[in-house]
Amino acid sequence: MNSLVIMGVSGCGKSSLGAAVARALCVPLIEGDDFHPPANSAKMAAGQALTDADRQGWLDVLAHRLAEGSSGAVLTCSALKRDYRDRLRAPNPGLRFAHLRIDRDDALARVAGRAGEHLFPPSLVDSQFAALESPLGELGVIEVEATLPLDQLTRHISAWMQGDRE
């Protein structure tokens, strides 16, 4: 099975959906945020958006982690720009992406609701939307509405990964 990246702006539900899809597909979950170097985590905690240069090493580590798994994996990663997605794809032929589409107000409300328990502050949500390059039209991409029920999203994406276009 090919690996999958659950992608989108902060607050779209990548972690919850990634865990659910990984369980449904019986593959490991790689939580992208766990691999940020301390400098990136400190920068975000201070309310500073990461730059492309900040993300390069992090994306390379994630791409390598995906390539290690021969039976597939689910990675949660914002993957906001085409260049970031291409970096993840380079060592992982057939890598697929599920883009969780959400509007700014819903994302902001979700991020604000988890303040204190996550390294990403609400003040950075706008920077995520500013950086987002839609993955629509790229090979191996599905886009889903992030506000749908988790079980519905899990079934839909799992079926897509298993070849049933649902």
Side-chain angles (χ1 to χ4, degrees), residues 39-102:
N40 283 9
S41 298
K43 193 170 183 179
M44 287 185 286
Q48 299 173 17
L50 298 180
T51 65
D52 291 347
D54 293 330
R55 289 185 176 99
Q56 284 181 8
W58 174 66
L59 290 166
D60 291 342
V61 167
L62 296 178
H64 178 71
R65 290 297 302 239
L66 280 174
E68 289 176 342
S70 60
S71 62
V74 172
L75 167 68
T76 61
C77 174
S78 55
L80 297 173
K81 295 184 178 183
R82 171 98 190 226
D83 181 59
Y84 303 168
R85 295 185 293 274
D86 288 345
R87 243 182 144 82
L88 294 170
R89 284 181 180 111
N92 296 289
L95 183 62
R96 298 172 96 180
F97 291 80
H99 176 220
L100 293 174
R101 181 182 59 240
I102 191 168

